[in-house]
Amino acid sequence: MDNLINNNLFHVLLLMSFCLSLVLYIILYFSGRADIRLLRKLIYIPARKSNSGAIQLGGAPYALTIFIILACVIIGNEEIISMRPFELSLLKKWVFAAAIIFVYGYLDDKYELRPIVKLIGQVIAVTFFGIFQSQLLMPEFASVAFLVCCFWGLGAVNGTNLLDGLDTMTIKLSAISFSSLIIMGHIFNYPFIMELSVLFFIPLVSFYLFNMEPAKIHLGEIGGSFIGFVILLQCSLLFGHLHQTESAIFSAGISLVPLTLPMSELAVSFLRRLVNRKSPFKGDKLHSHHILKNYYHLRAAQAATYLSIAYALIMAVTLILGHFVHPFIALICQFSLHLCAYIICCGRYWMSDDSIQLNPKSLFEYLRKKDVLIIESKAIDDFKITILAEGEEQDIEMDKDDSSINDDKESAA
């Protein structure tokens, strides 16, 4: 199995990936103390939800390092890297789409954009990449490939962001995802995906030095979304490699395995909020990592470690089933295992008095149309709205009760 990247260049890129990201994180860390006003204004963003005084924008050094590494890979393709045409084209198109992720992520970290604005940015980036990916990798069924790429791409970008909730958590979970890609690259004789996985993970090692509990830097919107988009790129490359010798169904099943964790997290969060009669787009503190920390009283690093161990075990089972049985059986098993793990760990903390009971009668009552009484405006001569302070409502109810008692006495007299 020959490496696609020249060994000397790979070692240079490996060292560059670590050193460059480390320097950028050091600059970010000391940006709050810098005398350069422009530097403070651009990159010093205190994390809004941090209890340790951490700095936001930790995804920016990671993204910039990836851009520079890919630029070196693309430029070096002529002489020292033996990429195939689809790999080179895919990397170029991905860089442009990832730049959109970077821009809207930076604006959200700095100004806290509305959710709909972030969603529009994600849709534009994933759609742009999906159009070129589908035409490049599967031109005979481009529309199907486009829909699959957009659906899983949006799930990966959003789901990975949801998993960025505790110190070191994203790093440990990403280590499992990149390791699974390295294993699949070895199994299916695709060294390029192995090399990229190592190069993409090394900047997270630099970030780990600043994200250890208590965290000094957080990834922010750029980091969570960008890591999901990086994994989407690698899965697309893996699909292109497999589809040259395998069927589209087999190739898609294998390629979607590393994206299943963020998709599972997103799906479970969506359904959980619906069951609790809340908007599926409104955040809460009932994610698995929140429950492990708040109800099981684990430290952030401990909760992240337990989640990564569970993910590693599920991924191991999935890879074995995908290789020896069938990829789609492995995907179904992976989703099922994720769901079981969520229910066992968090199920009892999800339900409340307002939750929908998961039985046919309750579901039917929830879905059926409710009777609504409509009063015509002609039937009302006058009305007024009174805004009550807290506690005044009880006083009014007591006055009504006293008035009713007096009326009863007068009637009896």
Side-chain angles (χ1 to χ4, degrees), residues 206-237:
S206 301
F207 174 65
Y208 179 79
L209 301 176
F210 298 90
N211 194 237
M212 292 186 294
E213 189 179 11
K216 302 174 183 64
I217 298 177
H218 289 165
L219 277 174
E221 182 70 26
I222 295 178
S225 301
F226 203 88
I227 291 173
F229 210 53
V230 163
I231 296 175
L232 178 65
L233 167 65
Q234 292 175 283
C235 293
S236 301
L237 289 168

Side-chain angles (χ1 to χ4, degrees), residues 66-77:
I66 298 302
F67 283 141
I68 293 172
I69 293 299
L70 288 182
C72 294
V73 171
I74 293 171
I75 294 172
N77 182 63

Side-chain angles (χ1 to χ4, degrees), residues 184-203:
M184 286 189 282
H186 178 75
I187 292 173
F188 298 106
N189 193 29
Y190 191 28
F192 188 49
I193 203 72
M194 300 169 64
E195 295 158 348
L196 285 182
S197 296
V198 175
L199 292 174
F200 290 163
F201 180 69
I202 288 298

Side-chain angles (χ1 to χ4, degrees), residues 381-396:
D381 294 330
D382 190 19
F383 70 92
K384 65 179 182 177
I385 298 174
T386 303
I387 300 176
L388 300 177
E390 186 177 356
E392 291 184 8
E393 185 177 354
Q394 294 180 354
D395 297 338
I396 291 176

Side-chain angles (χ1 to χ4, degrees), residues 76-121:
N77 182 63
E78 297 297 328
E79 299 178 359
I80 48 182
I81 300 175
S82 52
M83 281 191 292
R84 287 168 284 191
F86 86 87
E87 293 166 335
L88 182 60
S89 299
L90 204 62
L91 290 181
K92 291 180 178 178
K93 303 302 186 297
W94 182 88
V95 167
F96 285 105
I100 300 173
I101 298 281
F102 184 90
V103 171
Y104 92 76
Y106 172 79
L107 293 175
D108 182 61
D109 284 336
K110 189 165 180 62
Y111 302 107
E112 197 169 7
L113 303 176
R114 293 178 179 271
I116 186 62
V117 178
K118 293 191 289 184
L119 180 61
I120 291 173

